[in-house]
Amino acid sequence: MNFFIISLIKAGIVAAVLMTTLAYLQWVERKVIAHIQLRIGPYRVGPHGLLQPLADVVKLLTKEDLVPSHVNKFFYLAAPIISVALALTSISVIPFGPEIEVFGVRTYLQLTDLNIGVLVLLAISGVSVYGVALAGWSSNNKYALLGALRASAQMISYELPLALAVASPLLLFNTLSLREIVDAQAGYSFGFIARWAIFQGPLPQIISFIIFLIAAFAETNRIPFDLPEAENELVAGFHTEYSSMKFAAFFMAEYANMVTICALATTLFLGGWHPPFPVEFGSNYIPSALFALCGAVALYHALHPARPKDRFTLPVFAVVFFAIALAIAVPALNPILAPLFWFAAKTGFLLFLFIWVRGTLPRFRYDQLMRFTWAFLFPVSIVHLFATALAVALFTR
Amino acid sequence: MLSDQLNQIRVVQALEAFAGAVLDGKLDRNELTLHIAPERIVEVCRFLKTGQQFVRLSGITAVDWHPMEPRFEVVYHLHSMERNERLRLTCRLDGAQPGIDSVFSVWRAADWYEREIFDLFGVTFRNHPNLIRILMPEDWVGHPLRKDFPIHGHKYSYKDG
Amino acid sequence: MDAILFLIFAAIAVACAINLVVQKHPITSALSLVGVMGALAVIYLLLGAEFIAAAQLIVYAGAIMVLFVFVIMLLNAGEEKKPARPSWFAKILGVPLVIAVLGLLNFFVQHGSPDSTITFGEYTGTAKDVGRALFTTYLLPFEITSVLILVAILGAVVLARKEMD
Amino acid sequence: MGLNGLIGPVPLSWYLMLSAILFTLGVAGFLLRKNLITVFMSIELMLNAVNLTFVAFSRHYKQVDGQIFTFFVMVVAAAEAAVGLAIILTVFKNRSTLLVDDVDSLRL
Amino acid sequence: MNDTLATAATGSKRTMTLNMGPQHPSTHGVLRILLELDGETIVKAAPDIGFLHTGIEKECEVKTYQQVVPLTDRVDYLANLSNNLCYVLAVEKLLGMEIPQRAQWMRVMLTELTRISSHLVWLGTHAIDIGAMSVFLYCFREREDLLRIFEMFSGQRMMTSYFRVGGLALDAPRGWDKVVRKFINEFPSKVDQYENLLTANPIWMQRTKGVGHVALEDLIDIGVTGPMIRAAGMPWDIRKSEPYSSYEQFQFHVPTQKESDVFARYLVRVAEMRESANIVVQALDGMPEGPWQADAPHVVLPEREKMKTQMESLIYHFKIITEGFSVPAGQVYQAIEAPRGELGYYVVSDGTAKPYRVHMRTPSFGNLMAMPHMLEGRLLADSIASLGSLDFVLGDVDR
């Protein structure tokens, strides 16, 4: 029964962290986009709008739960549940860190390690089309239906390059288990170049990493591929008729998909929790140093406040940052927190990329998007897969 | 009928081929206005477009000279980009059953302008492909830009007590 | 544990399959079929066929059935009108006949099949095994299926392109 | 079999029986339904039932061959779905109906 | 569910009617377009206008000449000063009035700033329609500066009514030249910013190149004017061909493109912004000194100081305020190059103090007629880009 208890605890922690991440990802996105666009973003609720996600949740929860009279009620209600359930499930196979020992219990920083972890993620992303398609169809609304048709066509089409891009690094690692994939990227060639998939011989997987990212933008319906919900043509696309928590469910699913796909990219291409350079060069101190730097910056700004309130809020941040820095530096916690930091940092960087692109690029047209995947992305990924296979066959065995 | 001063102008000379089409003319503030017989408007316009390079129809509008008769004056603003010249044609129409041929066949630009005049003045344009109200609601009663239409609209006027 | 899991998912599969036959609206039927496939995927896992379970979800539920749903949405296919009245003969005979057939099948299966039990986790046909068999013993059929797929793609494209009048 | 049977291993025959039931339901759907798409889906259901038998026997003989067969069935089903749905689309384009009974003449 | 999509399942053509607007994010106001779709291809597009019809032309007939000016602000509310200018020029033409140089130059400068502000709104909304969110906010940052300048001059951000028959409403405020110069010096670098985000962006080019093409002959025939027609290769600009308000004293190019697609219109408008900035710089450098109102006591309100001290001025003031000024009978058509194209005011006077008829030949009305040609046979997603390139203002269409 030990297994069940540990699993339950881990599931609880992961769920709590994931939910907070999703809520704050939305805050981060609004902030980053705002600063790109010369605005300040959420600022009223809490210091720097930090309580904004909470306020949003309260607002969405207390809104009237509206079900339009013309919808197909069963599927209308089922669609957001399908979306969010599938999106949240997929995080369960992602490994966050190495095997650790807490209170004498050895466990992996991962909910469950499957032999076919990669396939499970692909399967879930394949099935998650249903949430979108059903939402659009059951809403009984032209904009929603068009959005749903676009979404399903787009997601099916981009799954191919996505799967092919995933397949190339798998040839190097020779396994489908995500844990083993991360393990295969441990170590450093020549003592300092990390053996991540994008740096690893015989063929660095940079091209498939880029293909993966492009397909990931399309899979998660983000700009420049956000046609299913292109508000200027299709109002809100497949979730036009949704409000309150049902809308929030789609929103959450979108962000959960983003997190999952960034975590998968980190695991497959960026070496998971492994630091970018060896411990001998002090990679263990980087997290502490970074957080300490953040704390110092916060303190500096508290002394020279731009706004009167900062005098009181920023020291609190500084204290929090210093506390985190200390916690990471503690020898007993370092083996747990340092890998988690590297994993979170890489995933966070990819998420930032998603947001950055959203603030910069216009969106494709529907047919251009389809042509892009079938005429460009798909052939390129096949050729690259062949090249990788050839390289692996020639140089490794 | 036209003054000598007008007869110097190229367009007026060219239009002499249309005997009786040009009823009157005026050069006022450097703007040439020609008064055309309503039944000849389409052929005159076609000639001006093809023969005199007035390829652009800048706009059509109308003036209601209520209670004078003929009551309506349809005004065409023609423009030639090659000659950098503007020309105004006017047609006087009776107030009882105001109607004139559509110049849609000459310039497609006439489409909405003629609909607008139909909508706001109640002047019908024969041979217009789609003569329906454009600005006012379809079930609107009356033509707002007529001088006998009260500024408040019929709904708020005190006419009926 | 095994039997409970099996029974739960078998029940889901059967219920969904019945729903597929009974429901009037094609979309409902399609989603019922997705349910069957999901339940079958779990049962494959119980049987230790990991790769097939994943493929079931990716290929069947994630691609084929999405195509179905897509086409249904595209055609905006409505509910079936009430079918022509079935003959009284079929009505009276049908249900008992089905029960009889299933009973007979049960009898033969119980007595004819090898008397063995299956325990979860005892044996797994991993993706590696499947892959090895696929690219050695069954290489020729595998290559032929790829030709089949190619032909199917061509056929579908030709059918979709063709302007019929 | 008792309560013990419920937590113990599962007899092979149960899998085969489930497969039989699903196949029967597939046949029933194929025969009863009038909508082309639903008929098509019933065929898929039958294929799935057969797949289950393959996998069960593969497990029984502890050989991977049954799974390979299932894999091939899936590939065939995918090809079939692509062509079949294309045909259905064409039929619908030409006749604006999906009822099997109405699609009775050979010319499109 | 069968009839939900109003499908016309007749024969092999199945089309769907989509009601775009009057409330739709991309119609930029209350425009309704009835789209008939075959899949995502537009078979037929029928615009339905008039939702913003406020009867301004009718209202003009009961106002005195000077009172009409504030109404013209409301026509094209993004280019209000151009409307002011056009109306004022028409009435001045009727009156046969001479306007002092300083007022004319000030008018030129402010209408060019208006052109920039109007193009900025267009660029921002056009970009956000195609998904480039940030450009929108960058554009509105500069527009905000412009609105502040307008406020400085007239006391109003949008409904300026700054030009009056006979000159300006007020003299330019103290320190205006510094503010305008500061803006105009920075502005070209801001345009570079927009262009950095858009012009060479492959997605932007894919979305706009070859989209919404209409041949030049068709454009002329339909009555399209302004940047749209210049993007089709016709270098026709009323500022050049029929100069008004001393435009002949300024040096500027008329940017043209050949392709007549959305991208060409984008390039033309962006180039126009730069040209306008250029004109503003010239106006700043050479702004003549002198009176800002014509010497026409029966038309122009006297100065406050004079009114209080001179009997004659007081009488004029009283007469202008109570009954306005009478305008000799006649009819004029005054066209100017507004940001959207040819803006023409046709003013008929019967010799009284109120205009007998004011017709506004607005550019948006004429340009919008080209919309069906632009949309039919194209993709739904293209309709957004095409509509954006039309740059219409519904107040301008419906009046």
Side-chain angles (χ1 to χ4, degrees):
Chain A
M1 275 299 144
N2 205 3
F3 168 75
F4 284 101
I5 293 167
I6 292 175
S7 293
L8 264 179
I9 292 170
K10 282 201 291 191
I13 294 172
V14 168
V17 171
L18 180 65
M19 289 306 187
T20 324
T21 313
L22 293 185
Y24 275 93
L25 183 58
Q26 181 244 15
W27 175 85
V28 169
E29 167 146 31
R30 286 172 68 176
K31 271 289 186 193
V32 170
I33 292 274
H35 283 283
I36 289 176
Q37 297 172 345
L38 319 155
R39 300 180 284 125
I40 49 172
Y43 201 78
R44 303 270 169 201
V45 192
H48 291 266
L50 268 175
L51 297 180
Q52 185 70 42
L54 213 67
D56 286 345
V57 169
V58 170
K59 182 193 79 176
L60 286 166
L61 274 174
T62 50
K63 276 209 166 170
E64 187 189 353
D65 196 30
L66 206 79
V67 180
S69 56
H70 54 75
V71 300
N72 185 325
K73 212 164 170 189
F74 178 76
F75 290 125
Y76 177 78
L77 294 177
I81 299 175
I82 294 175
S83 277
V84 81
L86 288 172
L88 293 181
T89 313
S90 44
I91 202 79
S92 59
V93 291
I94 302 279
F96 311 110
E99 193 176 23
I100 54 156
E101 196 172 329
V102 188
F103 307 123
V105 184
R106 294 190 68 80
T107 181
Y108 287 107
L109 282 177
Q110 181 180 20
L111 275 186
T112 172
D113 182 32
L114 295 179
N115 291 338
I116 49 162
V118 178
L119 290 182
V120 167
L121 284 180
L122 287 179
I124 288 174
S125 84
V127 179
S128 60
V129 181
Y130 286 109
V132 173
L134 283 181
W137 178 80
S138 69
S139 292
N140 203 355
N141 171 317
K142 288 170 204 169
Y143 289 118
L145 182 74
L146 277 177
L149 283 175
R150 281 180 174 191
S152 9
Q154 173 182 335
M155 285 165 98
I156 297 173
S157 306
Y158 275 86
E159 223 147 74
L160 279 168
L162 188 82
L164 288 170
V166 168
S168 306
L170 292 183
L171 286 174
L172 300 181
F173 308 137
N174 208 9
T175 174
L176 287 174
S177 153
L178 287 165
R179 165 160 304 282
E180 288 169 28
I181 285 172
V182 177
D183 287 340
Q185 299 179 66
Y188 303 88
S189 28
F190 311 118
F192 62 95
I193 300 176
R195 294 188 71 245
W196 300 354
I198 54 168
F199 302 131
Q200 201 177 82
L203 188 70
Q205 294 298 309
I206 293 172
I207 294 176
S208 59
F209 179 55
I210 292 167
I211 294 171
F212 181 90
L213 275 187
I214 294 173
F217 276 106
E219 279 288 300
T220 48
N221 296 335
R222 299 277 303 183
I223 268 184
F225 304 102
D226 68 336
L227 292 171
E229 43 196 284
E231 74 270 14
N232 302 71
E233 298 144 42
L234 299 177
V235 189
F238 60 89
H239 55 60
T240 303
E241 295 283 347
Y242 283 87
S243 60
S244 70
M245 267 327 272
K246 296 191 292 297
F247 168 74
F250 280 118
F251 213 68
M252 205 157 88
E254 187 187 321
Y255 281 94
N257 280 331
M258 249 166 81
V259 171
T260 314
I261 217 139
C262 289
L264 180 63
T266 306
T267 311
L268 278 177
F269 297 98
L270 300 182
W273 63 82
H274 294 301
F277 49 91
V279 182
E280 298 90 72
F281 296 131
S283 72
N284 269 354
Y285 305 111
I286 293 285
S288 289
L290 269 180
F291 275 108
L293 187 71
C294 286
V297 169
L299 264 187
Y300 173 81
H301 280 290
L303 292 175
H304 306 84
R307 301 167 200 85
K309 253 201 308 193
D310 289 357
R311 202 186 301 274
F312 310 103
T313 53
L314 284 180
V316 179
F317 284 113
V319 169
V320 171
F321 283 134
F322 283 129
I324 296 174
L326 268 180
I328 299 178
V330 169
L333 292 178
N334 188 284
I336 304 173
L337 291 181
L340 279 179
F341 169 82
W342 286 116
F343 182 82
K346 291 171 193 172
T347 312
F349 171 74
L350 291 178
L351 286 169
F352 176 75
L353 197 71
F354 271 63
I355 297 168
W356 187 9
V357 165
R358 183 175 168 212
T360 315
L361 290 184
R363 75 170 67 82
F364 274 108
R365 206 174 61 201
Y366 183 63
D367 58 325
Q368 291 166 348
L369 171 131
M370 288 312 229
R371 203 176 312 130
F372 180 69
T373 171
W374 288 109
F376 175 73
L377 218 50
F378 184 57
V380 167
S381 46
I382 282 193
V383 169
H384 185 257
L385 184 63
F386 270 123
T388 314
L390 210 65
V392 169
L394 289 180
F395 297 113
T396 50
R397 268 155 240 153
Chain B
M1 199 170 330
L2 298 172
S3 66
D4 291 343
Q5 184 207 4
L6 277 175
N7 277 325
Q8 305 289 317
I9 300 169
R10 239 171 78 189
V11 179
V12 181
Q13 286 168 354
L15 274 174
E16 269 169 9
F18 293 83
V22 183
L23 301 177
D24 196 3
K26 198 175 173 189
L27 188 65
D28 177 32
R29 296 173 174 94
N30 240 343
E31 292 183 18
L32 178 62
T33 310
L34 293 179
H35 190 179
I36 307 290
E39 60 278 3
R40 312 280 308 261
I41 185 72
V42 177
E43 48 176 318
V44 169
C45 284
R46 180 159 291 129
F47 169 73
L48 286 173
K49 182 187 177 185
T50 52
Q52 294 294 313
Q53 293 165 308
F54 282 96
V55 290
R56 266 194 73 234
L57 175 68
S58 190
I60 311 176
T61 185
V63 183
D64 178 12
W65 291 103
H66 180 73
M68 265 200 285
E69 279 296 338
R71 179 174 167 182
F72 293 105
E73 185 177 19
V74 180
V75 183
Y76 299 81
H77 285 112
L78 274 52
H79 178 227
S80 162
M81 286 187 274
E82 286 85 351
R83 291 161 54 167
N84 195 19
E85 216 173 282
R86 286 181 189 271
L87 171 63
R88 183 184 302 125
L89 306 180
T90 61
C91 295
R92 290 288 179 107
L93 301 177
D94 279 337
Q97 282 284 322
I100 189 170
D101 287 325
S102 164
V103 294
F104 180 79
S105 56
V106 184
W107 298 284
R108 273 181 285 169
D111 186 357
W112 283 16
Y113 291 110
E114 292 185 342
R115 275 177 69 189
E116 190 189 353
I117 297 168
F118 167 73
D119 188 359
L120 302 178
F121 287 92
V123 176
T124 49
F125 289 85
R126 291 183 286 272
N127 303 328
H128 187 282
N130 183 28
L131 197 65
I132 52 171
R133 282 190 183 274
I134 185 168
L135 292 175
M136 306 303 286
E138 274 160 43
D139 52 356
W140 189 264
V141 181
H143 302 284
L145 274 184
R146 287 189 174 186
K147 286 281 175 183
D148 50 1
F149 192 96
I151 185 87
H152 305 289
H154 283 305
K155 198 176 166 188
Y156 302 105
S157 66
Y158 300 103
K159 223 189 210 163
D160 307 325
Chain C
M1 219 35 212
D2 286 24
I4 295 174
L5 280 176
F6 172 82
L7 285 177
I8 290 172
F9 285 98
I12 291 175
V14 172
C16 286
I18 291 173
N19 202 37
L20 181 145
V21 180
V22 174
Q23 283 291 340
K24 287 274 175 280
H25 202 292
I27 270 243
T28 328
S29 298
L31 289 165
S32 309
L33 189 51
V34 176
V36 176
M37 287 163 177
L40 281 183
V42 177
I43 289 175
Y44 290 160
L45 276 182
L46 287 180
L47 285 169
E50 286 174 346
F51 179 74
I52 293 299
Q56 170 94 354
L57 279 184
I58 295 174
V59 179
Y60 255 130
I64 298 180
M65 286 319 292
V66 171
L67 215 57
F68 272 95
V69 172
F70 196 80
V71 167
I72 294 170
M73 277 173 24
L74 200 67
L75 298 183
N76 197 25
E79 281 181 27
E80 250 175 67
K81 304 287 176 299
K82 221 177 162 125
R85 206 183 295 152
S87 66
W88 58 272
F89 181 73
K91 256 188 194 167
I92 293 175
L93 262 173
V95 178
L97 217 63
V98 167
I99 293 172
V101 166
L102 279 178
L104 218 63
L105 261 173
N106 191 21
F107 176 81
F108 283 121
V109 166
Q110 295 285 357
H111 293 87
S113 69
D115 190 24
S116 76
T117 54
I118 290 160
T119 318
F120 175 57
E122 227 177 36
Y123 161 88
T124 41
T126 57
K128 226 169 237 175
D129 298 335
V130 175
R132 191 156 290 140
L134 209 52
F135 291 105
T136 53
T137 327
Y138 296 97
L139 184 61
L140 184 64
F142 180 78
E143 292 302 329
I144 291 174
T145 47
S146 58
V147 175
L148 175 75
I149 289 276
L150 193 66
V151 172
I153 292 174
L154 285 178
V157 168
V158 167
L159 275 170
R161 274 276 170 86
K162 205 166 182 181
E163 282 298 321
M164 308 256 181
D165 39 10
Chain D
M1 96 191 70
L3 208 62
N4 264 347
L6 281 184
I7 53 170
V10 188
L12 175 65
S13 57
W14 289 20
Y15 288 100
L16 299 181
M17 211 41 225
L18 174 61
S19 161
I21 293 170
L22 291 181
F23 193 87
T24 319
L25 284 167
V27 174
F30 183 78
L31 294 176
L32 292 176
R33 301 309 301 274
K34 306 283 177 212
N35 191 319
L36 261 178
I37 297 181
T38 322
V39 168
F40 201 10
M41 286 192 285
S42 303
I43 299 175
E44 297 290 333
L45 179 60
M46 288 192 265
L47 286 174
N48 264 284
V50 174
N51 279 353
L52 179 59
T53 320
F54 273 128
V55 177
F57 273 115
S58 152
R59 172 71 181 78
H60 170 71
Y61 291 111
K62 297 207 164 59
Q63 272 181 340
V64 90
D65 305 47
Q67 296 187 25
I68 302 284
F69 260 88
T70 309
F71 181 78
F72 284 143
V73 171
M74 279 181 196
V75 174
V76 172
E80 173 207 330
V83 178
L85 286 173
I87 291 175
I88 289 178
L89 272 176
T90 319
V91 166
F92 188 78
K93 240 190 219 163
N94 286 297
R95 298 170 180 246
S96 355
T97 181
L98 284 176
L99 294 188
V100 189
D101 296 353
D102 295 351
V103 190
D104 45 5
S105 68
L106 273 176
R107 53 182 294 275
L108 269 168
Chain E
M1 279 287 175
N2 216 354
D3 49 14
T4 52
L5 294 179
T7 44
T10 45
S12 59
K13 269 273 175 280
R14 278 164 52 95
T15 57
M16 172 170 118
T17 309
L18 188 72
N19 219 336
M20 204 159 136
Q23 299 293 330
H24 189 281
S26 306
T27 53
H28 299 194
V30 276
L31 169 69
R32 173 168 168 251
I33 311 169
L34 266 168
L35 293 175
E36 213 176 297
L37 297 178
D38 179 15
E40 294 226 6
T41 314
I42 298 168
V43 183
K44 199 168 172 297
D48 180 9
I49 61 172
F51 292 93
L52 220 59
H53 178 59
T54 46
I56 287 180
E57 288 182 11
K58 178 86 176 171
E59 232 174 305
C60 291
E61 293 171 6
V62 295
K63 305 267 186 211
T64 63
Y65 279 95
Q66 204 72 282
Q67 281 172 335
V68 170
V69 175
L71 290 178
T72 61
D73 280 329
R74 273 86 181 160
V75 176
D76 181 351
Y77 39 78
L78 293 181
N80 34 51
L81 282 166
S82 300
N83 281 272
N84 290 170
L85 177 66
C86 189
Y87 169 73
V88 162
L89 285 175
V91 176
E92 282 162 2
K93 202 169 178 184
L94 270 174
L95 285 163
M97 233 174 172
E98 270 298 311
I99 304 301
Q101 276 289 304
R102 182 177 169 82
Q104 291 197 12
W105 278 56
M106 203 61 101
R107 283 175 176 183
V108 166
M109 187 190 82
L110 284 168
T111 37
E112 288 311 317
L113 287 176
T114 305
R115 187 184 313 278
I116 293 176
S117 135
S118 167
H119 280 359
L120 281 175
V121 175
W122 158 78
L123 179 59
T125 50
H126 187 41
I128 206 171
D129 280 351
I130 300 186
M133 238 195 313
S134 302
V135 179
F136 175 76
L137 285 132
Y138 293 163
C139 287
F140 270 61
R141 168 187 62 188
E142 270 73 68
R143 179 168 182 259
E144 195 59 35
D145 292 341
L146 279 171
L147 291 184
R148 281 204 200 100
I149 291 175
F150 294 149
E151 191 183 10
M152 189 179 175
F153 273 90
S154 69
Q156 275 279 2
R157 283 159 60 84
M158 285 178 78
M159 301 300 150
T160 47
S161 309
Y162 186 61
F163 302 153
R164 299 289 163 84
V165 178
L168 308 174
L170 303 155
D171 194 5
R174 244 174 297 145
W176 64 275
D177 50 341
K178 284 196 200 76
V179 179
V180 176
R181 196 176 288 279
K182 181 170 180 294
F183 171 80
I184 217 70
N185 283 344
E186 286 170 6
F187 185 68
S189 68
K190 302 289 171 64
V191 181
D192 292 341
Q193 280 184 13
Y194 319 142
E195 288 216 72
N196 273 342
L197 276 168
L198 298 177
T199 306
N201 186 325
I203 302 180
W204 178 262
M205 287 205 274
Q206 276 199 28
R207 285 299 304 273
T208 53
K209 275 197 171 166
V211 171
H213 173 83
V214 184
L216 178 61
E217 301 80 61
D218 287 332
L219 285 176
I220 294 173
D221 198 31
I222 296 164
V224 175
T225 52
M228 300 236 332
I229 204 166
R230 288 195 282 277
M234 168 66 78
W236 174 57
D237 189 318
I238 301 177
R239 290 177 293 177
K240 281 271 190 216
S241 63
E242 301 155 73
Y244 50 90
S245 195
S246 68
Y247 261 108
E248 66 277 3
Q249 297 173 27
F250 292 88
Q251 303 290 318
F252 61 96
H253 299 292
V254 179
T256 53
Q257 293 287 329
K258 286 274 176 300
E259 291 78 14
S260 185
D261 56 7
V262 177
F263 190 66
R265 287 164 208 151
Y266 158 78
L267 288 180
V268 164
R269 288 202 178 96
V270 169
E272 272 181 21
M273 284 202 267
R274 294 184 192 276
E275 284 303 320
S276 292
N278 192 8
I279 295 176
V280 173
V281 170
Q282 292 176 39
L284 274 172
D285 290 340
M287 181 64 70
E289 290 299 321
W292 45 275
Q293 275 186 324
D295 182 24
H298 62 286
V299 173
V300 177
L301 278 180
E303 274 174 44
R304 205 80 192 149
E305 191 56 39
K306 274 190 187 161
M307 187 197 88
K308 286 178 180 163
T309 51
Q310 296 175 7
M311 191 62 191
E312 205 179 345
S313 296
L314 182 63
I315 292 171
Y316 274 128
H317 185 271
F318 180 75
K319 284 197 73 170
I320 293 171
I321 293 295
T322 50
E323 62 183 28
F325 49 84
S326 54
V327 170
Q331 46 185 346
V332 290
Y333 179 80
Q334 172 68 45
I336 68 160
E337 186 70 30
R340 280 157 247 288
E342 177 188 345
L343 174 66
Y345 271 65
Y346 171 63
V347 183
V348 180
S349 165
D350 58 351
T352 61
K354 291 175 180 174
Y356 189 77
R357 169 95 174 96
V358 178
H359 171 69
M360 298 148 185
R361 187 262 176 235
T362 51
S364 301
F365 189 79
N367 292 359
L368 196 59
M369 264 190 273
M371 187 184 66
H373 298 265
M374 222 174 258
L375 299 190
E376 281 165 13
R378 313 285 166 80
L379 288 173
L380 179 62
D382 279 347
S383 73
I384 306 307
S386 305
L387 283 181
S389 77
L390 274 167
D391 185 24
F392 50 85
V393 167
L394 263 299
D396 205 24
V397 176
D398 295 342
R399 305 187 296 290

